[in-house]
Amino acid sequence: MYQFSSKLKTFSFILMVVGALGIGYGFLTTPKTTEDVEKILKEQEAHHGGGHHEAHATAEHGSTAHAEESHANADASATTISHEVKDTLTSKLHASEAHTSVDSTTVAHDSSVVAIAPVVSNDDSNHNEVVVTKAKEIAVDHAAEHKEHVEHVKHQLQNKPWSALYVACIFFMLIAVGALAFYAIQWAAQAGWSPIVFRVMEGVSSYLLPGSIIFFVLLLMAAFHVNNNHIFVWMDEEVVKNDHLIQGKSGFLNVPFFLIRAAIFLIGWNLYRFISRKNSIKLDETKDLSFFKKNYKAAATFLVFFIVSESIMSWDWIMSVDPHWYSTLFGWYVFASFFVSGITVITLITLYLKSKGLLPQVNKSHIHDLAKFMFGISIFWTYLWFSQFMLMWYSDIPEEITYFITRIENYNLPFFGMVAMNFLFPLLILMNADFKRLTWVIVMAGIVILAGHYLDFYNMIMPATVGDQWFIGVSEISSVLFFLGLFIFVVFTSLTKTSLVSEGNPYIEESKHFHY
């Protein structure tokens, strides 16, 4: 039986406390008013020498300058018009004196003269009014544009702590889902090499229940816009009113149906995990093979449900943050990301337990196979990433390519950095068969893979929710720390509940003596 060490337990609590404090700090420091946003934009302009905020940050001054310039032009035009009217009036007076031989007093009151002068004056003053009106329109347009930009940035910055929390929450929850899917595959395939690490897989998947509860609460908060939560723009009725594309998807993207689907998926996954775990323990206690058959059937049924639910989940929880964009292989892409993350965590925990003198029957061949899955799914993820990117980039369809342009322009380092971490690094390190048997190499590769796939989820969600206002700050780090601490506590607590070796499994002896 595994005993949860006090040091590791204390460490998990410290991570949760520090993370919770940092999450709270992130929400408290978000801008509440447009004045706060103005200050932030000015600071960004000062730090970055203007950058991409310069045009918006100085729009107010620009609109004032345009207004002053236009008014000056209007005044000049008015002066010119005034002189023209005066000259016209004078010529009319002289003409009137020459032809009618009347005095200046009579001329001043001559109806023909008075009638002519206002006509000229009115024509030119209309021109003057047009110039002034256009000057005012320019000033109003720039002021309105600046106000709209400031309001947009305020929503982005208010979304930032929510998005950081959401990315960390879904990432760790899907690690548990990935481990559960890998576990179900082993049962359905009746694999002979893996039963020795079944308890580790069950331990990692145990995080699914608390992770699902927290995640569903976050979805509810997004649906009801709690504390300016606008992660899903299609949930905003004002936006939908003016967006025909989102209106066309409203039959699927609506809050009640969205939450119902989420509840069905989360309940279905947790139900399978509960049934499989229960049958696995009963199999150990009774050695009754009927429980083995039940788990086989449950795994096969779950995998059918999982294939469908995982695809729809990826559309709902990740792709819909960009409701104007879609990809037909996005479900596979998301699956590859969290599947390899789940396998990586199973491998790292197995190595940790083995380093503590536990799981002595786990040999280098088991570790080699786990590392081989880490390598293989990393290559599979790269194939899907490149297929999605290359086809859209080559076709250059505006509705599709804007997704990648946004990320390349505003998220260049994390976008291409995660490709290096998730493809180049595993390729160079884990391709060698001997390296797959070295603990320190696998641990190093595993840490890089997990960090890379966190960045993958970060790149999928952040550009749509915070735009170019991103940076890895307190909210992001604290959210990861909190869920990492919770994950460690839940998983290692689960490992203490029963024996680390599933002795009742009919393939356990084959697994103990497995050699590659």
Side-chain angles (χ1 to χ4, degrees):
M1 293 285 289
Y2 169 72
Q3 296 295 323
F4 196 175
S5 72
S6 58
K7 290 183 179 179
L8 186 58
K9 185 181 293 186
T10 302
F11 177 66
S12 67
F13 280 122
I14 291 173
L15 289 177
M16 284 189 279
V17 171
V18 172
L21 292 174
I23 292 170
Y25 174 81
F27 280 104
L28 289 175
T29 55
T30 53
K32 306 298 188 295
T33 64
T34 54
E35 288 76 13
D36 295 336
V37 178
E38 294 276 12
K39 293 178 182 178
I40 293 172
L41 291 176
K42 289 178 181 178
E43 290 175 0
Q44 289 177 347
E45 182 184 356
H47 286 133
H48 301 290
H52 59 280
H53 300 290
E54 184 175 0
H56 296 289
T58 59
E60 186 175 1
H61 300 292
S63 62
T64 304
H66 278 289
E68 290 175 351
E69 182 182 354
S70 301
H71 281 297
N73 292 336
D75 290 340
S77 300
T79 303
T80 304
I81 292 166
S82 178
H83 284 298
E84 291 175 355
V85 172
K86 183 178 179 181
D87 293 339
T88 304
L89 181 59
T90 302
S91 64
K92 287 289 183 179
L93 287 172
H94 286 300
S96 184
E97 287 175 354
H99 291 286
T100 62
S101 301
V102 294
D103 58 21
S104 60
T105 305
T106 305
V107 172
H109 295 282
D110 187 85
S111 59
S112 64
V113 175
V114 174
I116 294 171
V119 171
V120 176
S121 176
N122 284 343
D123 288 342
D124 289 331
S125 56
N126 283 341
H127 175 70
N128 185 24
E129 288 175 5
V130 169
V131 174
V132 174
T133 302
K134 286 185 177 180
K136 290 180 179 178
E137 287 177 355
I138 292 171
V140 170
D141 287 345
H142 281 277
E145 180 186 352
H146 179 64
K147 182 179 179 181
E148 183 181 354
H149 172 67
V150 170
E151 192 66 26
H152 182 62
V153 172
K154 185 177 80 169
H155 283 308
Q156 289 178 327
L157 292 175
Q158 288 175 343
N159 260 344
K160 191 172 183 296
W162 282 115
S163 301
L165 191 65
Y166 186 80
V167 171
C169 181
I170 194 172
F171 177 66
F172 280 95
M173 184 192 73
L174 290 181
I175 285 176
V177 176
L180 184 65
F182 189 64
Y183 176 70
I185 290 170
Q186 304 307 310
W187 274 102
Q190 299 187 23
W193 72 274
S194 55
I196 194 70
V197 290
F198 271 9
R199 289 290 183 260
V200 177
M201 299 179 191
E202 292 170 5
V204 175
S205 65
S206 67
Y207 177 78
L208 179 58
L209 180 59
S212 298
I213 294 172
I214 297 173
F215 181 73
F216 193 74
V217 170
L218 285 182
L219 294 183
L220 290 173
M221 289 181 171
F224 295 104
H225 306 298
V226 175
N227 193 25
N228 299 310
N229 186 335
H230 295 277
I231 293 178
F232 299 96
V233 67
W234 58 265
M235 292 181 176
D236 190 332
E237 294 181 358
E238 294 300 319
V239 173
V240 176
K241 285 180 182 178
N242 304 310
D243 196 314
H244 296 294
L245 284 175
I246 299 180
Q247 289 173 14
K249 300 180 180 182
S250 60
F252 185 81
L253 290 180
N254 61 80
V255 172
F257 193 24
F258 174 83
L259 293 177
I260 290 171
R261 290 194 302 271
I264 291 172
F265 300 158
L266 295 174
I267 291 172
W269 298 343
N270 279 281
L271 184 61
Y272 167 70
R273 197 267 165 187
F274 172 78
I275 292 173
S276 183
R277 167 78 166 181
K278 180 180 178 182
N279 288 337
S280 180
I281 293 175
K282 287 287 187 181
L283 180 61
D284 283 358
E285 293 173 348
T286 64
K287 305 296 189 295
D288 185 351
L289 291 181
S290 64
F291 291 107
F292 177 85
K293 295 178 181 178
K294 288 179 181 179
N295 257 5
Y296 166 76
K297 294 178 181 178
T301 304
F302 167 75
L303 288 174
V304 174
F305 173 76
F306 176 75
I307 289 171
V308 177
S309 60
E310 185 278 330
S311 290
I312 300 175
M313 168 277 293
S314 66
W315 308 337
D316 283 356
W317 302 343
I318 302 175
M319 193 166 69
S320 75
V321 297
D322 277 299
H324 292 163
W325 179 85
Y326 68 92
S327 169
T328 54
L329 57 74
F330 193 76
W332 284 107
Y333 175 77
V334 174
F335 167 73
S337 188
F338 71 74
F339 190 54
V340 70
S341 299
I343 295 171
T344 300
V345 171
I346 291 171
T347 306
L348 294 179
I349 292 178
T350 300
L351 290 173
Y352 170 79
L353 293 174
K354 189 168 178 61
S355 70
K356 298 297 181 181
L358 304 167
L359 296 178
Q361 294 93 349
V362 172
N363 55 49
K364 290 185 177 180
S365 294
H366 294 106
I367 302 302
H368 175 274
D369 272 20
L370 288 170
K372 190 160 57 176
F373 275 107
M374 290 168 57
F375 171 77
I377 305 301
S378 293
I379 302 302
F380 177 58
W381 173 89
T382 308
Y383 161 74
L384 294 172
W385 178 86
F386 181 74
S387 297
Q388 182 173 258
F389 172 74
M390 183 272 293
L391 290 174
M392 291 188 176
W393 190 264
Y394 184 77
S395 62
D396 199 20
I397 300 173
E399 307 92 88
E400 296 178 348
I401 198 63
T402 184
Y403 180 89
F404 294 103
I405 290 177
T406 301
R407 283 151 180 79
I408 292 172
E409 289 184 349
N410 299 325
Y411 291 74
N412 191 276
L413 181 60
F415 182 70
F416 290 109
M418 64 97 177
V419 176
M421 297 170 73
N422 296 334
F423 170 58
L424 292 179
F425 193 83
L427 177 70
L428 297 175
I429 297 299
L430 296 178
M431 178 178 282
N432 190 302
D434 292 333
F435 284 176
K436 294 187 184 77
R437 297 170 179 267
L438 298 178
T439 299
W440 69 271
V441 171
I442 297 173
V443 170
M444 177 178 61
I447 292 172
V448 173
I449 288 172
L450 290 176
H453 284 286
Y454 168 81
L455 282 180
D456 188 15
F457 278 85
Y458 189 89
N459 280 301
M460 284 190 275
I461 294 169
M462 284 290 187
T465 59
V466 304
D468 59 357
Q469 300 298 318
W470 73 275
F471 59 90
I472 304 294
V474 173
S475 295
E476 288 77 8
I477 296 172
S478 299
S479 298
V480 171
L481 292 180
F482 174 79
F483 285 105
L484 175 60
L486 181 63
F487 187 87
I488 291 173
F489 177 77
V490 172
V491 169
F492 283 91
T493 299
S494 175
L495 291 174
T496 65
K497 302 297 184 181
T498 187
S499 172
L500 289 179
V501 179
S502 180
E503 294 290 352
N505 191 291
Y507 293 103
I508 190 64
E509 290 302 318
E510 179 181 344
S511 182
K512 289 179 179 179
H513 298 91
F514 172 73
H515 288 284
Y516 175 72

